[in-house]
Structure formats: structure tokens, C-alpha cells
């Protein structure tokens, strides 16, 4: 006999549902997170709820680089210690965090907020490409690094932008392809290995 | 030259930090979730924030079974369709969801909210054991199923409770141990396999 299933309390069910909408959080993880939040001190749960609200209320896109910022223009675009003649173009704000972590890039950024993807109906007008071209009009920029992801859509987006920039007197570069440090030659795919071979360097 | 690292905007950093406190969410997942929340429509982010707050504001522990509920006593404890002479003792509310999903248990529950763990300083007085014993005093309960996890701490907790109940005229049972359905004999550990052998059943 299959008997009536009694679900969790409504607020718990609702929280599980909302958490389950997050990327990479399945129904089981959502339930585990919900019950974790039920257990933690009220202040901690409230801090999370407030951080979520604040991130919406207190941030805007930087009118220069389109990165997420709490002051427009953002800290990078207004920094006098950074080179304003070089712009690194990335897909999303997360990529900026990754590049900043290297501590080796000292120029500006431009966030596209996506890549070209005809399958998903995402064309050039859906990305911040017009805003990029406008920044280049000033004539102050000497190099644009196209740092989209090394996959089909990333490459297509870079190619598209490269063609737009080519009439201008601006150097266009892209990040090097090759073996990831700590990686294993045996597990490298053919395309990466081909890139690594072709761009081999003198020791 | 290592240059100055420019972090994400303060509200973003704060959200990444708060998300990173959740169990199973590392710094990279936290960043990914934060930027996901930045992208989604404001209503969706707000729904999550409100669900987190509501789960704290609108739930209490059921004064009978100690499960999380939005009405005390909870829906299970007040159900007239369930057998009130059998109580299934579990470690946490999530375990009730799992048991309810089977659709095969028609009794009441009791949530311990933890297991005995001397290493972590968790003794009997930290669990809802006193509340359980009080429920048994009525003399209406005929069976207690000890459904703690089949590990060292779960077993120790069950043993402890079993000894408390033994003077009373109440049947004490525990969930069967054996091979998980869909599992592979080859990968079963010795203890599970021993249990499966010793509890083998006629076909």
C-alpha cells in the first residue's frame, strides 16, 4: 500500500525550490542547503539573504568596461596605476577575477556579457560589442587582447570582433594556447597539443 | 612585477563570501553562483532572499516530533491517517523526507537533531532524547524504529537509546542492513556484505 506522502513545511519546500534553481544545485543539494540554513544562527541566514538583495540593489554595470561595480566608473577604469591603452575583452565578470588573480595584467577590461551563439539566438547586438567599439574610437587604445574562452563560440566571437577592429590602427592579440601547467601530455586533446607544438618556444 | 589586485565590487565580494559559507560550496562555486544571481531577473534573486528569511521566520520545531514545521504540532503528528503507536527515530529532518518518499511508512517520527559524538562534545543532553522518552511515557507507543545512519556514531546513538527504552514494554527495531538495490557486489564493503549474508532471506 502506498500511503499519503507528507512533504516538508511550506517555507522549507519553497526554499528548496528556490535553491534548486541555482546552477549546479540539484534537488538533493538544495534540500541539504535548506536544512543547513535552518540549523545556522538566524544572523548568518539573514546575512546571506541580505547579501543577495544587496548585490542587486547596490551594483550597476560600469559605463566604461561593463563590469559589475558599486561605483561607476569602476575601480579598474579609474585607476591611475593601470595602463589605459590596453583593453582585455572577456566573456563575463568572473573572467576578470581570474585574470586579476594572476597579478600580471595591468590594463583595462571590457566585458561582453556573453558570446555569439546563433543556436541560442545570441547575436552581436546582444553583447557589449558596440560599447567596446565606442571605447576604441578615442584612438587612445593601442592593443586589444581577445580573451574569450578557447572554444567554438569564444573563437567565433573573437574572430567577429577582430574583423571589426582590423580597419583601426590597433594591435589585436589573443591568449596563448598550449598545455595547461600541471597537466599531462597523455591527457591533452589533439587540438591543444597541436597548438602547443606550433607555438613551441626556445628554452 | 606583481601588480595590485583589484577585487570584485564590495556587494559581490560579500555575496561570494556568504555563499562560500554554505556546505559543499567552494570559493569558485560561490563566485559562479554570485554572478549567476547578478544575471537573473531581480524578482528571482529576491524570491531566494525572501525564502531564506521566511524559512527562519515562519518555522518552528514541532513540540511532539521535533521536526521542522510551520504549524505546531506538525502535519504528521496531527494526521489521523497515521499510526500513532509507532515512532521512527531519525538524526535530522532530511531523513524524514527520504522515508516519506518511499511512501511505505505510516507511523510518526522523532528527530534527534544530531547523533552522539564525544569527539565533537555532543552528548545525550544535546539531542532530543529527553523529548523522545517523554513521548514514550504515555504508554501508547508499541514500536520504536531506530533509523539513525548505519555508521559508528549512528549505531552508538541507537545503542544508547535502545538501552534507555529496554526497561519499557516497547519493541525496538532498526532498519535492515544489506546490499543497496542497484549496487554491485564487487564494490560492497565487507561489513555490508557480512550483514547481507547474515540476514539472507529465502526466495
Amino acid at each position: 500500500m502506498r500511503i499519503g506522502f507528507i512533504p516538508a513545511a511550506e517555507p522549507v519546500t519553497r526554499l528548496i525550490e528556490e535553491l534548486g534553481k541555482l546552477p549546479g544545485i540539484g534537488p538533493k543539494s538544495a534540500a541539504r542547503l535548506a536544512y543547513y540554513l535552518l540549523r545556522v544562527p538566524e544572523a548568518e541566514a539573514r546575512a546571506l539573504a541580505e547579501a543577495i538583495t544587496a548585490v542587486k540593489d547596490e551594483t550597476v554595470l560600469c559605463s566604461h568596461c561593463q563590469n559589475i561595480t558599486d561605483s561607476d566608473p569602476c575601480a579598474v577604469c579609474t585607476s591611475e596605476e593601470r595602463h589605459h591603452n590596453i583593453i582585455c575583452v572577456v566573456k563575463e565578470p568572473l573572467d576578470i577575477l581570474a585574470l586579476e588573480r594572476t597579478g600580471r595584467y595591468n590594463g583595462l577590461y571590457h566585458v561582453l556579457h556573453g558570446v555569439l551563439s546563433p543556436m541560442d539566438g545570441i547575436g552581436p547586438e546582444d553583447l557589449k560589442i558596440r560599447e567596446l567599439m565606442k571605447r576604441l574610437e578615442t584612438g587612445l587604445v593601442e592593443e586589444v587582447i581577445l580573451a574569450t574562452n578557447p572554444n567554438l563560440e569564444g573563437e567565433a566571437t573573437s574572430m567577429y570582433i577582430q574583423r571589426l577592429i582590423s580597419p583601426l590602427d590597433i594591435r589585436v592579440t589573443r591568449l596563448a594556447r598550449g598545455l595547461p601547467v600541471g597537466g599531462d601530455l597523455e591527457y591533452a586533446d589533439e587540438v591543444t597539443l597541436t597548438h602547443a607544438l606550433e607555438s613551441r618556444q626556445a628554452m
Side-chain angles (χ1 to χ4, degrees), chain A:
Chain A
M1 181 201 56
R2 204 173 161 85
I3 59 151
F5 166 96
I6 296 202
E10 193 277 330
V12 182
T13 311
R14 180 149 47 95
L15 179 57
I16 293 175
E17 212 171 273
E18 290 298 335
L19 287 168
K21 289 179 187 167
L22 298 175
I25 310 273
K28 289 220 171 176
S29 304
R32 220 170 301 129
L33 288 176
Y35 281 102
Y36 169 83
L37 286 169
L38 275 161
R39 271 201 315 274
V40 298
E42 177 139 358
E44 195 172 327
R46 224 166 273 282
L48 174 59
E50 276 160 20
I52 293 170
T53 314
V55 95
K56 286 303 212 186
D57 290 344
E58 297 169 18
T59 61
V60 290
L61 294 190
C62 170
S63 55
H64 294 205
C65 73
Q66 310 296 324
N67 190 14
I68 288 148
T69 178
D70 50 353
S71 59
D72 182 21
C74 74
V76 174
C77 288
T78 52
S79 168
E80 287 183 7
E81 282 169 21
R82 302 189 73 116
H83 301 302
H84 286 233
N85 57 350
I86 173 164
I87 292 180
C88 180
V89 177
V90 296
K91 180 191 171 198
E92 52 187 5
L94 265 177
D95 301 329
I96 294 184
L97 285 192
L99 286 161
E100 283 297 297
R101 269 197 296 270
T102 68
R104 295 300 176 104
Y105 179 66
N106 203 7
L108 304 184
Y109 293 100
H110 191 87
V111 185
L112 295 174
H113 289 281
V115 280
L116 295 178
S117 177
M119 297 275 282
D120 303 316
I122 296 172
E125 65 290 345
D126 299 311
L127 308 180
K128 304 291 186 184
I129 294 178
R130 205 179 313 115
E131 289 80 355
L132 171 65
M133 297 313 291
K134 209 158 185 183
R135 291 177 75 186
L136 302 184
E137 274 172 15
T138 59
L140 297 172
V141 177
E142 290 164 21
E143 179 177 351
V144 170
I145 306 174
L146 297 173
T148 53
N149 289 327
N151 55 31
L152 204 68
E153 290 169 348
E155 300 280 7
T157 309
S158 279
M159 295 271 278
Y160 179 87
I161 296 173
Q162 189 254 319
R163 245 174 306 166
L164 284 184
I165 301 178
S166 62
L168 310 173
D169 182 27
I170 294 174
R171 192 175 165 223
V172 180
T173 57
R174 68 168 191 177
L175 298 182
R177 274 85 172 109
L179 294 175
V181 177
D184 200 312
L185 212 120
E186 190 181 338
Y187 298 117
D189 64 287
E190 298 90 326
V191 185
T192 300
L193 210 49
T194 305
H195 276 298
L197 260 177
E198 288 175 351
S199 312
R200 64 188 180 278
Q201 292 160 325
M203 289 184 66

